Amino acid sequence: MQLIESLTESKSELQAIRRDLHAHPELRFEEHRTADVVARTLSGWGIEVQRGLGGTGVVGRIRCGTSRRAIGLRADMDALPIQETNGFPHRSHFDGRMHACGHDGHMTMLLAAARHLAAARTFDGDVVLIFQPAEEGGAGAQRMIQDGLFERFPCDAVFALHNWPGLDVGQFAVAPGPMMASTSEFEIRVTGRGGHAALPHLTVDPVLVAVQIVQGLQGIVTRARNPIDAAVLSVTMIHAGDATNVVPDTARVGGTVRTFDDAVTDLFERQIRQISQLTAQAHGASASVDFRRSYPATVNHPEQAEFAARVADRVVGAHNVVRDVDPTMGAEDFAFMLRARPGAYLFIGNGAGAHREAGHGAGPCMLHNASYDFNDDLIPIGGTFWVRLAEEFLR
Ligand SMILES: [Zn+2]
Ligand SMILES: [Zn+2]
């Protein structure tokens, strides 16, 4: 590995920043202390800082040379509503809040790169350091864009890194095209006519209708969708009734749809409405459908994905850069930035959990797990990658 010496030498100092952030997790749009730490740290290194974009967002900018070509590097700042089960000293100080997705590490890798870039000044142009709030379901990236992120800080391309448990430390993964899925939520409300369970002929039973709708929805995946297009439809909620001898008036069915393509999402929305309404109608009931699109698919631009992969080749060796990684059905709001600017989203290997076994408690370590921890060995690797990416982009 070709790591930058100043980053490996200052690993313990950077680790202390990461562990302080880990110990003080804040939920989406409440990242006040976190934003203070990020802003104060950047300012301390002489970096220009703007606050308040997207609420708690922080943007740093390092200008060098005469070119106004610019690269945006993004880290997310928010934690999750999870009770941490780790026992190490830097575990969450707050009940019910935890950095279980490694955003503490993402911020630290970007801070590490910022410090080096501000001191070394080995590029010609602008490096825009984007610290965004509310990645976990709050669409903080979209809020920053709506607040004029790319007008106030023009970027020719944007990049983001996410740690990935199970991928070896020292590996990167990036693919052209989809990396993460879009996510949509739906809720179907079936209205029948309640009454005595012993006299069903005098009722319109919404429970029977709801169950038939649930079965019908799976037909979208198996019959209506082109099998080439990846998609998931999960019904995760059915609510109806309170008594064994009463047919209720209404029933509710809810769930999620994940796809890699807006046209496929359109198909699912159309079909969910049609199946719900016509199934209800067949039984003399009615159905209303609420379909909400949360995050679009995270789709890498091929040119920027290959550019980032080549930079990663230089840092960790080409054999450690996975270029044909399968996309996952999880979602990521960096998708909004990739719709606004060309760019790419990469995974950086967080390892198989060995970093957690020494006094960190056992257990699996997938993201969003209560015993997850970011692997501090990634700080100089991710930091070096960010530095080389910026230098190469702004040669
Ligand atoms: Zn997450
Ligand atoms: Zn995350």
Side-chain angles (χ1 to χ4, degrees), residues 269-288:
E269 178 174 357
R270 259 195 331 270
Q271 290 275 309
I272 289 171
R273 289 185 189 285
Q274 189 172 326
I275 288 167
S276 302
Q277 284 156 1
L278 296 182
T279 303
Q281 204 182 317
H283 292 272
S286 64
S288 63

Side-chain angles (χ1 to χ4, degrees), residues 76 78 80 100-103 135-137 162 180 331-332 367-368:
D76 34 18
D78 56 324
L80 286 155
C101 205
H103 299 182
E135 192 289 317
E136 301 287 358
H162 205 297
M180 306 281 264
E332 160 65 66
L367 302 170
H368 295 204

Side-chain angles (χ1 to χ4, degrees), residues 39-176:
R40 196 175 347 107
T41 306
L42 292 172
S43 301
W45 296 332
I47 296 168
E48 167 197 342
V49 173
Q50 283 282 324
R51 297 188 62 171
L53 279 91
T56 43
V58 179
V59 183
R61 177 159 55 189
I62 314 171
R63 315 193 91 161
C64 195
T66 53
S67 165
R68 285 289 71 91
R69 195 166 147 77
I71 184 173
L73 311 178
R74 173 278 213 168
D76 34 18
M77 301 197 294
D78 56 324
L80 286 155
I82 292 175
Q83 181 69 38
E84 181 159 2
T85 57
N86 291 311
F88 44 64
H90 65 278
R91 71 181 175 277
S92 174
H93 290 190
F94 307 132
D95 273 345
R97 285 188 247 159
M98 177 189 175
H99 267 299
C101 205
H103 299 182
D104 48 344
H106 300 167
M107 288 183 272
T108 310
M109 292 189 293
L110 190 53
L111 286 171
R115 182 169 71 170
H116 180 87
L117 287 164
R121 310 189 68 75
T122 43
F123 58 95
D124 186 13
D126 293 356
V127 178
V128 178
L129 309 156
I130 304 165
F131 292 87
Q132 77 147 81
E135 192 289 317
E136 301 287 358
Q142 188 182 35
R143 283 276 300 275
M144 288 188 89
I145 294 167
Q146 286 165 347
D147 276 0
L149 171 66
F150 292 128
E151 286 76 39
R152 291 160 73 179
F153 300 93
C155 292
D156 295 293
V158 286
F159 296 87
L161 270 184
H162 205 297
N163 78 96
W164 202 252
L167 187 66
D168 287 347
V169 173
Q171 288 200 310
F172 286 83
V174 58

Side-chain angles (χ1 to χ4, degrees), residues 347-360:
F347 294 137
I348 176 171
N350 199 51
H355 67 288
R356 297 170 49 263
E357 283 163 16
H360 287 196

